[in-house]
Amino acid sequence: MSQAPSRTVVVLAAGEGKRMKSATPKVLHPLLGRTLLGHVLAAATAAEAAGTIVVVGHKAEQVRGHLSEIAPDATPVLQEQQNGTGHAVRIALEAAPDADGTVVVLNGDVPLLRPETVAALLTAHEESKAGATVLAAEVADPSGLGRVVRDADGNLERIVEERDASPEVRAIREINAGIYAFDAALLREALGRISTDNDQGEEYLTDVFGLLADAGQPVGVYVAADAEETLGCNDRAELARLRALLRDRVNTAWMRSGVSILDPATTWIDVTVTLSPDAVIDQNSQLQGTTTVAAGAVIGPDTTLVDTTVGAGAVLLRAHSIGAQVGPEAQVGPYSYLRPGTLLGRKAKVGGFVETKNAELGDGAKVPHLTYVGDATIGAKANIGAGTIFANYDGVNKHHTTVGEAAFVGSDTVLIAPVEVGAGAYVAAGSAIQTAVPAGSLGVTRAPQRNIEGWTARKRPGTVSAEAAEQAATGDAG
Ligand code: UD1
Ligand code: CA
């Protein structure tokens, strides 16, 4: 086989996407870990192109900014007025005068497209030596889409937009997915000849097919094996539908690789997440961003993990975590909130109603109940009592607290940072600690207790409390 020609990718992302009714350009709407544009660029990597051009227009600065984050090697080209898909490609090619070989054009709003399909389209196109090849699909409801019109021999004759179509053409259910491969030279030449003689008065990229066919150039159709991949996104209802389809695709792939997903319908995993075999994901859970979950860990039910690393055998129950690292066999939840900079050692425990931020817990350290841990280092095997507050903020600056190995902090304590509790030290319940407690000492700041006898009878006569007190007194006397 001869060597593949050089390839250039052009992604069309200049449109507003009016029907989204959004301040955010359509291609920047998120879908399980990437924007629509991010998904299309990910699929386009299969082209192994020498260069990638992204045509930007509506809210160009926003799209450029996003592009510089996710695809810094791509070249944005500005289409000031959105005069149609043909106009967009023409401008892209003017900015790349040396591009030859194959030009791959992708609409920016077809996020379910698989890289394998792009590769297969390119192989079909290049092996057939066609001037242009369109990715098509047979769909139940073709409304709104361009139709593939074939001649009696089944060869592509032209692509007709629905709004320009006769009733006969509208009845065709084979649609243009908005993904194409072109011979660069033939595409340039044809784009110079397309008219704006259509219902929208725009330059249609799709007219290139009719022009090439009329000139006797072979043009091809590559029919997608899975029509779902070709679904575009025009409004938020379609976006939600695509999201559910992608959810199912992602979940199925993880289950096939050995992950237990107990309720796939309520489990939403970004395409950027990594899971290990024998991880268990229980219902109503969301795994997002760079999250990774090691073998045997149990996530959920009702747990959200964003950019979180979970070690083998850890358990997170009804937890919300952003930017945390959870060690192997650690336990979190229910109802706890791990914030960025949280680092839990092996078998560390963060129990119910605990919030942590920038907090390192050593191996086996425990923060079991109702506690805020901000800016702290807690030694291995230390125990933090219920209701402890690490007071890290003085209203201007944040300060650090260090609790030594196997220290024991009694319930309802305030540790006023910066402060240190030494290894093996104890803090008495209800203390407010603001100077160091040396290793092995007991820190206590409580006022001595005094009891005022008979207070209830004198100050709260006639209450149920007074009655109970009197009965207790009589009982004592009897
Ligand atoms: C287009 C196709 C239609 C196909 C459908 C598949 C044309 C004329 N029609 O229609 O046959 O079935 O896609 O989804 O191509 N864009 C620009 N600049 C422009 C116009 C559009 O960059 O001037 C971009 C949009 O941002 C979008 C893509 O091109 O990402 C497609 O544009 P859109 O207006 O959605 O085309 P459709 O009407 O859906
Ligand atoms: Ca569209």
Side-chain angles (χ1 to χ4, degrees), residues 121-448:
L121 167 72
L122 283 167
T123 305
H125 172 74
E126 286 163 2
E127 284 182 354
S128 71
K129 305 226 178 328
T133 306
V134 59
L135 181 69
E138 191 79 43
V139 298
D141 175 15
S143 49
L145 295 165
R147 307 296 205 280
V148 172
V149 180
R150 296 176 185 252
D151 65 17
D153 300 327
N155 295 317
L156 175 65
E157 224 173 52
R158 60 209 158 92
I159 297 172
V160 180
E161 293 309 294
E162 176 165 280
R163 55 205 306 164
D164 301 305
S166 64
E168 296 76 48
V169 168
R170 282 184 189 217
I172 297 172
R173 291 190 299 114
E174 187 175 27
I175 58 92
N176 163 25
I179 314 290
Y180 325 81
F182 296 98
D183 172 86
L186 291 174
L187 174 61
R188 279 181 208 277
E189 182 274 330
L191 284 174
R193 293 194 286 131
I194 53 177
S195 77
T196 54
D197 184 16
N198 53 54
D199 187 59
Q200 297 191 86
E202 288 184 354
E203 293 178 35
Y204 286 170
L205 177 62
T206 44
D207 284 354
V208 166
F209 285 83
L211 289 174
L212 292 183
D214 288 348
Q217 285 289 343
V219 286
V221 182
Y222 180 80
V223 181
D226 175 6
E228 215 171 83
E229 280 185 54
T230 67
L231 290 170
C233 175
N234 293 307
D235 61 29
R236 309 229 193 188
E238 287 178 4
L239 182 62
R241 181 170 171 232
L242 295 181
R243 192 163 178 265
L245 289 169
L246 188 56
R247 174 201 63 203
D248 290 345
R249 186 196 283 182
V250 169
N251 287 348
T252 301
W254 284 123
M255 289 188 280
R256 296 235 160 95
S257 78
V259 174
S260 284
I261 298 180
L262 303 189
D263 184 19
T266 64
T267 302
W268 299 85
I269 303 173
D270 280 1
V271 296
T272 45
V273 164
T274 310
L275 308 176
S276 295
D278 285 324
V280 177
I281 318 295
D282 207 338
Q283 66 184 22
N284 288 325
S285 293
Q286 295 89 41
L287 275 53
Q288 299 175 353
T290 58
T291 294
T292 65
V293 178
V298 180
I299 310 299
D302 309 325
T303 292
T304 299
L305 305 181
V306 183
D307 301 337
T308 294
T309 306
V310 179
V315 176
L316 287 96
L317 168 63
R318 292 202 167 82
H320 191 101
S321 172
I322 302 172
Q325 290 181 47
V326 177
E329 295 172 72
Q331 286 181 45
V332 178
Y335 306 108
S336 282
Y337 180 20
L338 310 182
R339 293 169 51 201
T342 296
L343 236 132
L344 308 184
R346 172 179 291 275
K347 292 192 174 175
K349 176 172 179 172
V350 169
F353 302 99
V354 174
E355 176 175 337
T356 63
K357 187 218 72 178
N358 205 13
E360 187 177 341
L361 270 69
D363 292 352
K366 291 190 169 72
V367 186
H369 330 274
L370 299 155
T371 290
Y372 173 62
V373 186
D375 299 299
T377 309
I378 298 175
K381 295 184 204 135
N383 192 306
I384 309 298
T388 297
I389 302 298
F390 286 65
N392 59 327
Y393 186 45
D394 61 15
V396 180
N397 294 305
K398 301 281 170 71
H399 303 280
H400 195 86
T401 297
T402 303
V403 174
E405 189 175 323
F408 184 98
V409 175
S411 295
D412 193 28
T413 291
V414 187
L415 298 170
I416 303 163
V419 75
E420 200 165 325
V421 175
Y426 271 61
V427 172
S431 294
I433 299 295
Q434 57 182 338
T435 53
V437 181
S441 304
L442 170 72
V444 51
T445 67
R446 284 197 308 247

